[in-house]
Amino acid sequence: MEELFEAIFGNAFIIFAVIAGIIGFFKNSFSSDKEEKSKHSKPTNRPVPPFGGGTAKKPSNPMKRQERARDSFSTASASEQKQQQMEQLAEQIGTNLQAPLEEFQQQAKSIQNKRHDATKHLHKQKLKRQVANNLTQEGLVNGIIMAEVLGKPRAKNPYRSILSNQMKRKQIH
């Protein structure tokens, strides 16, 4: 019996599993009790719409309905309909929407041009700085090393002594 208690209390995982199971059991029973109580609670009273009275609707004009139906079923494309709606709205408001739109487009173009010029100038400055940094002694050494690394393989350009190179040149001339 002592060995059983020792095994149970010596293993923290078993203790944790037992505690989690107990908590889960009580939590589920508590939530199911709440659901049962809420099902048996009284239904809420909803306001009843008034019978008769209220606001009277204006009689609709059948001619206006026909005009609206004809306008909605027109064969104009979506962009044309949008343009017509914008014009009608402009007439109702009494403003001209084209002038602010054109002004906005010009501002957007000028901002875009300024941004392009700024990025171009920044790129030129970076390039100048990079060239200036590479003209130091360390930069030149790195350039020679990279030329050797990226150049022809040594097998295609085997080492020859200076004398053999001179003799080879004399034979060519």
Side-chain angles (χ1 to χ4, degrees), residues 146-158:
M146 291 307 292
E148 287 294 323
V149 169
L150 298 174
K152 279 199 230 174
R154 192 70 188 157
K156 292 195 174 189
N157 189 18

Side-chain angles (χ1 to χ4, degrees), residues 32-137:
S32 65
D33 290 342
K34 276 189 173 182
E35 289 176 7
E36 288 177 13
K37 286 180 182 178
S38 64
K39 286 180 183 177
H40 296 297
S41 66
K42 294 179 182 178
T44 58
N45 292 334
R46 295 183 191 164
V48 178
F51 295 100
T55 59
K57 292 184 179 180
K58 295 179 183 177
S60 62
N61 189 352
M63 293 300 287
K64 286 186 179 180
R65 280 188 191 171
Q66 289 175 355
E67 288 176 17
R68 287 183 195 156
R70 193 175 348 125
D71 288 343
S72 65
F73 292 115
S74 67
T75 59
S77 68
S79 60
E80 290 174 357
Q81 288 178 355
K82 182 179 178 182
Q83 185 65 29
Q84 288 174 354
Q85 289 175 356
M86 292 294 286
E87 290 172 1
Q88 289 174 358
L89 183 62
E91 288 174 6
Q92 289 175 358
I93 295 174
T95 61
N96 185 3
L97 298 178
Q98 291 298 326
L101 180 63
E102 290 173 1
E103 183 180 326
F104 178 72
Q105 288 174 343
Q106 289 175 352
Q107 288 176 352
K109 285 181 183 179
S110 66
I111 290 171
Q112 190 176 19
N113 289 338
K114 287 178 184 178
R115 182 177 168 208
H116 181 68
D117 292 342
T119 55
K120 202 183 249 187
H121 181 67
L122 182 64
H123 182 67
K124 284 182 181 180
Q125 285 181 342
K126 268 186 178 180
L127 188 60
K128 284 181 182 178
R129 214 176 311 132
Q130 189 177 17
V131 168
N133 288 341
N134 286 338
L135 288 178
T136 62
Q137 185 178 4

